[in-house]
Amino acid sequence: MIMSTKKRYALLLAARDSDYVNKLYGGYFNVFVDTFGEKDLEEGDSWDLFRVIDGEFPQLDHLHLYQGFVISGSPHDAYGHESWILQLCFLVQTLFALHKKVLGVCFGHQVICRALGGKVGKSCSGWDIGVRKVKFTEDFYTSSLSSSVGLYGSGEVAVIPQNLSIIECHQDEVWEVPVGAQVLAFSEKTGVEMFAFGDNILGIQGHPEYTKDILNNLIDRLVSNNSIQREFGEEAKQQAMNSEPADRQQWQKICRRFLKMGCTKFVPILKL
């Protein structure tokens, strides 16, 4: 009997598609799948979309069908009390208890932290927009994420460098990770750029899925709705143009490796 190795993943979309992303990419779902699942699709793995911002969630009795879940960024605050955010926190707690893989990006990173007992809030230093160089901690290099050994059947050993650049666009941040979690990366602007909890929870403050054109369009929208000053937006664009993140593929490897790896450790259920 041949055992199937195909896996199923879910994107929990916490933002609505912009006109720009719809026109160029067909929506954020395609952006995420191209970033985290392109090679998975070649192997026959599949991705499902749940627009959690609109109250669309996977059924609890279907959670076992998925290898992993990805929570996107959002214009909303992860510490907010909208019903869908509270429902998302409950889902994260449930997935943690079930020992399912959960990867959070920006808002997703923050809402995972909140759901599992950490603290999030506004950054004391204001908006961080552009390309930021982050530095990995020693804990990162003792984890299985720091190498691409065995990734997609490859025997290649490619150790992740000490610093990687990533696109950032946030004014909230993780203040304190949950008890038992590990900080894996930081920057001069943000103390928690990445954290892990056991081998099934990973949060990344930056946007490994963003391209420079997506960032530029987002900056234009933030300027147009008066979220940021035009001068600040133009400076952020120029900074991103001068330091195009050549490290995007490394972030993709980290995220894909995390989602593909099996869970081997038992993490006790939190008492929240």
Side-chain angles (χ1 to χ4, degrees):
M1 181 176 65
I2 299 177
M3 299 294 292
S4 174
T5 59
K6 295 179 181 179
K7 296 180 174 64
R8 190 172 173 184
Y9 301 90
L11 173 64
L12 308 177
L13 190 59
R16 294 186 175 90
D17 295 324
S18 69
D19 292 340
Y20 180 84
V21 170
N22 258 333
K23 182 177 180 180
L24 266 69
Y25 299 93
Y28 281 118
F29 177 73
N30 290 334
V31 173
F32 273 93
V33 173
D34 286 346
T35 303
F36 300 148
E38 184 177 6
K39 293 185 179 181
D40 293 340
L41 295 180
E42 294 175 4
E43 298 177 357
D45 294 347
S46 62
W47 285 72
D48 294 335
L49 171 62
F50 296 93
R51 297 183 183 274
V52 294
I53 191 173
D54 293 323
E56 183 181 316
F57 285 81
Q59 296 181 34
L60 293 181
D61 58 354
H62 290 173
L63 298 181
H64 70 281
L65 300 174
Y66 294 94
Q67 160 81 5
F69 299 77
V70 177
I71 307 174
S72 77
S74 176
H76 292 262
D77 298 325
Y79 46 84
H81 295 285
E82 293 93 331
S83 60
W84 69 271
I85 294 177
L86 298 179
Q87 187 175 353
L88 182 58
C89 287
F90 174 75
L91 176 60
V92 169
Q93 294 165 1
T94 302
L95 294 173
F96 181 81
L98 294 173
H99 210 50
K100 287 292 183 179
K101 292 276 185 173
V102 186
L103 168 62
V105 172
C106 198
F107 166 90
H109 159 84
Q110 297 159 14
V111 85
I112 290 172
C113 177
R114 173 193 179 179
L116 299 184
K119 296 180 180 179
V120 299
K122 282 280 186 291
S123 169
C124 296
S125 55
W127 280 95
D128 188 7
I129 303 177
V131 177
R132 179 72 54 187
K133 188 172 286 292
V134 306
K135 183 176 182 179
F136 294 108
T137 65
E138 291 184 7
D139 285 336
F140 173 78
Y141 288 102
T142 60
S143 75
S144 54
L145 297 172
S146 62
S147 171
S148 64
V149 177
L151 194 62
Y152 304 111
S154 170
E156 173 190 7
V157 178
V159 177
I160 303 298
Q162 189 175 17
N163 299 281
L164 284 179
S165 295
I166 193 169
I167 288 177
E168 307 264 10
C169 188
H170 64 99
Q171 62 175 337
D172 296 336
E173 65 181 5
V174 168
W175 287 351
E176 185 178 314
V177 299
V179 175
Q182 295 176 305
V183 177
L184 300 185
F186 61 94
S187 69
E188 61 180 15
K189 184 83 171 178
T190 304
V192 184
E193 289 281 0
M194 180 163 69
F195 79 93
F197 202 161
D199 63 351
N200 66 314
I201 301 292
L202 182 66
I204 300 175
Q205 179 58 70
H207 287 272
E209 83 283 9
Y210 273 11
T211 57
K212 187 173 66 174
D213 67 293
I214 291 178
L215 174 66
N216 287 342
N217 179 260
L218 179 53
I219 290 173
D220 288 341
R221 286 188 281 126
L222 290 172
V223 170
S224 67
N225 64 22
N226 297 316
S227 294
I228 61 174
Q229 296 293 321
R230 182 172 299 277
E231 294 78 8
F232 177 71
E234 292 303 319
E235 289 176 6
K237 280 186 179 181
Q238 189 62 46
Q239 184 263 354
M241 182 181 298
N242 294 335
S243 55
E244 174 68 17
D247 299 333
R248 188 164 177 257
Q249 289 186 345
Q250 294 280 24
W251 286 106
Q252 290 173 344
K253 285 183 179 180
I254 291 171
C255 295
R256 288 171 176 169
R257 180 168 178 79
F258 168 76
L259 290 170
K260 294 287 284 187
M261 287 188 309
C263 296
T264 57
K265 305 173 188 174
F266 171 75
V267 178
I269 297 175
L270 289 178
K271 295 181 180 180
L272 301 177

